[in-house]
Amino acid sequence: MDQVGQESYGKERADSIDLVTIPGIHRRFLDTFFSPAKMNAYLAAEPRWVMALVLSAALMSLQVALSHQRFGKAS
Amino acid sequence: MREQLLAQGGTPLPMPDRVMDWMSILRVVGAALGTSIVIPIGAGVLTGIFAFVLGDAGGYRQYLAVTAHSFFIPALVGLFIMPLKIATQDPLLTLNLGNFFFFLPSGYWLSVLTAMDLTQIWSSLVIAQGAHCIDRRRSFTSAAVILLSLMFAMALIIGRFMPS
């Protein structure tokens, strides 16, 4: 590919990234299971991690709380 | 005193309710903190492997975002299999490769397969897809092979210490 072609490809790519609207955490949560390619494309364009970290930590805590409630005396 | 009583073969004293409540709170907070520490460390390892060692494009924040999202899988599936844990009265029950190889005699190789959790494998494949999206030169297959090989290497070590 020549220099001009590379530049136009780069500009096109940058424009497409600008147009990406990052969906909310609920949509990204669903996309992780049902459409990981789409979710990862969003994240590569704009890495958002805080809410995902908080939600993962909350889910793990809930798992431990339920497990402790049920098996707490045994463990 | 409790240890002395247990060493002498006596029945342990029941723990006060207040202590049990505190233990429960500590476990929940510990799980949240543990997750908040494990995810950034995992992202750091991925950045080290893909960006520094293999020379891919992409920074720590991108790998952190992918790792944090991929962690939804073990976290949610773990909640879904809670009824199965209750039904089988086994708090350590997981969905793993060992479930498919029930015909193997108990020993090292069954322990290795048991250490390979299916949700972790699914999560690794999502991370591999993320590595491909971060740098298009990195194919999904090569990223998946790298991550699954790492997981297998870990399972080979963990299998040594698991009771058969």
Side-chain angles (χ1 to χ4, degrees):
Chain A
M1 193 184 281
D2 61 355
Q3 190 70 31
V4 178
Q6 275 183 0
E7 276 173 14
S8 83
Y9 172 72
K11 192 172 179 300
E12 204 173 273
R13 193 157 178 257
D15 289 347
S16 70
I17 288 170
D18 286 343
L19 289 174
V20 170
T21 334
I22 305 294
I25 187 71
H26 60 287
R27 187 71 236 175
R28 279 183 276 143
F29 182 82
L30 288 176
D31 283 344
T32 305
F33 293 90
F34 300 111
S35 184
K38 205 163 78 177
M39 187 272 299
N40 281 318
Y42 298 142
L43 294 179
E46 195 180 328
R48 297 241 176 126
W49 57 273
V50 179
M51 279 310 290
L53 188 82
V54 171
L55 191 58
S56 294
L59 284 171
M60 288 306 285
S61 297
L62 185 61
Q63 210 183 108
V64 169
L66 285 173
S67 182
H68 184 74
Q69 193 183 20
R70 194 72 203 181
F71 302 106
K73 283 170 189 155
S75 62
Chain B
M1 190 175 152
R2 186 180 162 84
E3 281 75 19
Q4 274 180 0
L5 204 66
L6 284 171
Q8 286 163 10
T11 51
L13 293 169
M15 277 204 190
D17 282 347
R18 227 175 64 181
V19 175
M20 289 297 285
D21 288 347
W22 273 105
M23 271 179 68
S24 146
I25 291 166
L26 279 177
R27 275 188 190 197
V28 171
V29 172
L33 279 177
T35 308
S36 310
I37 292 167
V38 163
I39 291 174
I41 290 173
V45 171
L46 288 178
T47 313
I49 293 169
F50 287 110
F52 291 108
V53 178
L54 300 172
D56 286 5
Y60 176 71
R61 276 188 66 212
Q62 283 171 310
Y63 287 103
L64 178 60
V66 169
T67 312
H69 282 79
S70 72
F71 215 80
F72 287 155
I73 296 164
L76 191 73
V77 175
L79 269 181
F80 280 153
I81 62 167
M82 192 57 75
L84 198 60
K85 287 182 182 180
I86 293 167
T88 55
Q89 289 295 309
D90 180 8
L92 300 176
L93 184 136
T94 54
L95 299 177
N96 53 62
L97 282 184
N99 298 143
F100 298 101
F101 294 89
F102 54 88
F103 50 84
L104 283 178
S106 61
Y108 176 64
W109 287 109
L110 189 63
S111 299
V112 169
L113 292 170
T114 307
M116 294 190 77
D117 192 276
L118 289 180
T119 61
Q120 297 288 347
I121 293 172
W122 185 359
S123 183
S124 295
L125 294 177
V126 171
I127 293 174
Q129 176 66 45
H132 169 64
C133 286
I134 290 168
D135 188 340
R136 291 281 171 191
R137 291 172 303 167
R138 168 73 44 208
S139 72
F140 167 74
T141 314
S142 73
V145 167
I146 291 164
L147 292 174
L148 293 179
S149 303
L150 274 176
M151 184 183 237
F152 184 61
M154 290 289 289
L156 286 174
I157 297 166
I158 294 168
R160 278 264 169 241
F161 303 103
M162 277 176 79
S164 54

